[in-house]
Amino acid sequence: MHRRWLTAILLAVALSGPALAAAPQSFAIEGRHFLRDGKPHVIRSGEIHYPRVPRAYWRDRMQKARAMGLNTIQTYVFWNLHEPEPGKFDFSGNLDIAEFVRIAGEEGLDVIVRPGPYICTELDFGGFPAWLLRTPGLRVRSMDSRFIAASARYMQRVGQELAPLMVTRGGPIVMAQVENEYGSFGRDRDYMQAIKQQMLDAGFDIPLFTADGAGPSYFEGGPMPGVTAVINFGGGLKDTQDSFAELEKFRPGGPRMVGEYWAGWFDHWGETHHVTDPEEEAKALDWMLSNDISFSLYMWHGGTSFGWQPGANGGGASTPYQPDTTSYDYDGALDEAGGITRKYRLFREVIAKHLAPGETLPEIPQSASPIAVPRFALTESVTLRDALPRLGKPQTHYFPRSMEDLGQNYGFVLYRKRLDAAAKGKLDINEVRDYATVMANGKVIGTLDRRFGERGFETDIAAGTTLDVLVENMGRINFGSKLVDEYKGITRSVRIGDEQLNDWTMYPLPLDDLSALQFRKDASAATQPVFRRGHFALKNVGDTFLDTRELGKGHVWVNGHHLGRYWQIGPQQTLYVPGVWLKPGRNEVVVLEVEGGSGRSLQGLTAPVFSNPPNADKPKSAASP
């Protein structure tokens, strides 16, 4: 095994004497240079996130990183997943970041970690745990004492996992980032200093750095005195050259590194799938290596934002809300399933031209081909309305409460009100976050989509009607000033005409356990949200992509694993299913159909599909019939 740090540890163990430690290693910054064990060092890094890749595939991805010529892996640390409730931490299974780091080291890779606490990364709430919003008035990314206390507790716990793996103790972690692109958000130097001190207190005794967009305005708030500043950008050779010219003006004579070179981009629902020109990206990479400039490719391998992970952007007046897709393919060098792309091969050719004397690239590991799953029917169903008593305990309040007020982080909330008198006029929900399905006695009468700022529609409801408003959390905004108050559900009030509707029964629906659902044989169409179930059999397992093009809008679980959201508007038209989540024999698929399409069956494809139907970017009222 080719790894410096493991060799050092094995030598220390083999030698006798309690005072002996691992062989000395170092990583330092001196002038323009990064120094690895005292020698000038160019960081060739790629970003990959452990929660977005099944644990069983981590080593495969690391080996492919080495074979492409990378010498470093970079990752964020996901606060929202590690501390799902205050003081309750989880570093097990797919969240075992220490094991992720150890595997990288075993494969000859250094590691750069970015613990936040804010990480953006198209993740719900920018990686902050949603329970922070349960404290009225708490402001994230600020010196609010309640936020600082929560952040310090989190950072200490991360330090317990990662401090033993720092290069200063013979491990592979060589650098760590303070916060994340703070220059795009604020100018509070005290806040940045507080986060830096939290990292030091947690044992991050390695070089620290900040990362910000390549522009003078971003440099005003993000970088810190005495801390290395790197830049984030994308766009090809000219943008690369211009960006480093900006960095040189700001920190003349300092180390040159792009902390995120955007060699791809992410997708929003209803918008076009993003791809970049691999030749242009390869030219930029070649120029950087020709000038001894360090880089980290973002994303080198994106993976999948499984379950409720995807976040959102808050756009302008015409696009007030832009939810992210489940796929985080990012047009990376490795595709969503870990397959080798043309971009990977071009990057490998470029890096091979700039290797140190005596350095060689390993052979590219073989990738297992995704499998096809023959079409299978969804033959059983139960309506969401009928399943309510088994999915959660209702709460009653005079005013509708937000999801956070109900003690819930993700999923849906169903708001129920029985109308004693007839009601006619405009139904106005102020405001829905983020997608509402409105039903009268179980029949859908309208939908409201935050993407278009929709708040209501004209209605005429008879006395005695049960009004249900099912609200889906489509992902909290993860970038910019709007993220600070990203409450979900019905966040204010509901009116019909001039009358405000009060006295609500609310069903929190996190949908983290579907085992209590009672299905019956039925594959008929439904006029309301419905759970459907089907099964398929396999002799041999493998990755596959569930084809959702005939479905409308909803979520899919396979053998209890929440794959994530599908939506007919695209661009994502398939859901990635890791083969390690399948099994020989019978496999179970559960679909929550929020809006029904024409299909009552699914199949597994060997490749993903990205496409947009006509008018996907328009509200239903503006779309052609």
Side-chain angles (χ1 to χ4, degrees), residues 441-579:
N441 290 333
K443 182 179 180 181
V444 176
I445 59 173
T447 59
L448 300 173
D449 189 340
R450 185 184 178 191
R451 293 183 303 142
F452 307 115
E454 294 176 341
R455 285 180 41 174
F457 52 84
E458 293 295 326
T459 188
D460 187 352
I461 302 177
T465 297
T466 296
L467 178 69
D468 286 333
V469 183
L470 178 67
V471 182
E472 179 179 2
N473 173 356
M474 294 281 296
R476 293 177 180 85
I477 289 174
N478 55 256
F479 183 81
S481 59
K482 293 182 180 179
L483 71 85
V484 299
D485 60 353
E486 262 296 277
Y487 301 98
K488 294 300 182 181
I490 296 177
T491 56
R492 296 185 185 175
S493 62
V494 182
R495 309 182 73 90
I496 296 181
D498 295 330
E499 182 183 358
Q500 181 166 306
L501 302 185
N502 300 316
D503 294 317
W504 291 87
T505 299
M506 285 155 275
Y507 291 83
L509 301 171
L511 303 185
D512 48 12
D513 182 2
L514 304 183
S515 61
L517 292 177
Q518 292 189 337
F519 290 93
R520 59 186 177 84
K521 289 285 184 181
D522 178 24
S524 62
T527 58
Q528 58 182 297
V530 62
F531 290 97
R532 298 189 185 279
R533 185 168 69 176
H535 298 86
F536 63 90
L538 292 176
K539 288 185 178 179
N540 300 300
V541 301
D543 295 350
T544 192
F545 293 86
L546 280 184
D547 184 356
T548 61
R549 284 174 290 183
E550 295 182 3
L551 305 181
K553 182 180 190 298
H555 291 255
V556 177
W557 290 258
V558 173
N559 293 333
H561 295 277
H562 185 186
L563 300 183
R565 179 179 291 109
Y566 67 87
W567 200 353
Q568 201 170 51
I569 64 174
Q572 179 179 352
Q573 300 290 354
T574 50
L575 281 171
Y576 171 59
V577 186

Side-chain angles (χ1 to χ4, degrees), residues 10-253:
L10 291 175
L11 283 172
V13 170
L15 295 171
S16 61
L20 291 176
Q25 293 193 68
S26 67
F27 184 92
I29 301 171
E30 186 177 291
R32 280 202 180 280
H33 299 291
F34 297 103
L35 301 177
R36 189 68 168 95
D37 297 334
K39 299 177 182 179
H41 178 71
V42 175
I43 297 169
R44 306 190 303 255
S45 175
E47 187 103 5
I48 173 176
H49 299 148
Y50 53 100
R52 286 177 161 138
V53 179
R55 178 175 176 145
Y57 295 159
W58 289 348
R59 191 175 297 278
D60 169 80
R61 305 314 192 246
M62 303 298 183
Q63 291 172 348
K64 288 172 178 172
R66 283 275 298 117
M68 199 186 85
L70 300 183
N71 57 26
T72 306
I73 285 294
Q74 182 165 277
T75 185
Y76 283 122
V77 185
F78 288 53
W79 184 6
N80 63 333
L81 301 183
H82 287 302
E83 192 180 6
E85 292 295 331
K88 297 180 180 179
F89 289 95
D90 185 0
F91 286 88
S92 64
N94 233 83
L95 299 178
D96 189 350
I97 185 173
E99 179 64 11
F100 179 83
V101 169
R102 282 190 288 267
I103 291 173
E106 289 166 6
E107 296 301 330
L109 293 160
D110 287 337
V111 179
I112 298 171
V113 293
R114 307 203 282 167
Y118 167 75
I119 61 173
C120 187
T121 193
E122 290 68 62
L123 190 70
D124 183 271
F125 203 17
F128 290 129
W131 49 258
L132 289 168
L133 293 168
R134 298 178 200 166
T135 301
L138 183 149
R139 188 174 181 83
V140 299
R141 302 187 87 180
S142 81
M143 288 299 290
D144 184 317
S145 60
R146 299 164 297 182
F147 172 75
I148 291 296
S151 173
R153 180 181 65 207
Y154 153 73
M155 200 68 73
Q156 281 290 324
R157 187 62 185 82
V158 171
Q160 291 179 34
E161 298 293 319
L162 297 185
L165 297 169
M166 305 289 172
V167 66
T168 48
R169 297 162 219 191
I173 301 176
V174 295
M175 285 206 303
Q177 180 179 299
V178 182
E179 234 264 358
N180 185 59
E181 295 184 324
Y182 184 71
S184 304
F185 180 83
R187 300 290 183 270
D188 189 339
R189 295 289 186 189
D190 291 339
Y191 167 70
M192 287 294 287
Q193 184 60 41
I195 298 304
K196 175 187 172 184
Q197 191 60 50
Q198 288 181 2
M199 295 178 67
L200 295 174
D201 293 343
F204 285 80
D205 57 349
I206 53 177
L208 304 179
F209 68 97
T210 60
D212 288 280
S217 62
Y218 296 149
F219 287 152
E220 290 177 14
M224 306 172 67
V227 176
T228 295
V230 308
I231 49 177
N232 298 343
F233 61 86
L237 179 57
K238 186 176 186 307
D239 284 341
T240 300
Q241 294 168 333
D242 291 347
S243 296
F244 280 107
E246 288 284 350
L247 179 62
E248 183 64 20
K249 290 178 190 175
F250 175 68
R251 289 275 176 93

Side-chain angles (χ1 to χ4, degrees), residues 26 203 235 266 300 351 382 429 576 597:
S26 67
F266 57 92
W300 174 72
I351 293 172
V382 57
I429 304 179
Y576 171 59

Side-chain angles (χ1 to χ4, degrees), residues 347-399:
F347 287 175
R348 187 175 192 265
E349 290 173 8
V350 167
I351 293 172
K353 293 164 47 181
H354 298 279
L355 298 177
E359 186 181 5
T360 59
L361 298 184
E363 292 295 318
I364 301 173
Q366 291 293 315
S367 294
S369 299
I371 65 172
V373 175
R375 186 169 291 279
F376 59 95
L378 301 171
T379 58
E380 302 170 283
S381 70
V382 57
T383 67
L384 175 67
R385 201 163 185 250
D386 290 341
L388 279 178
R390 296 180 175 275
L391 291 174
K393 294 181 180 179
Q395 300 182 32
T396 57
H397 296 281
Y398 185 71
F399 297 113

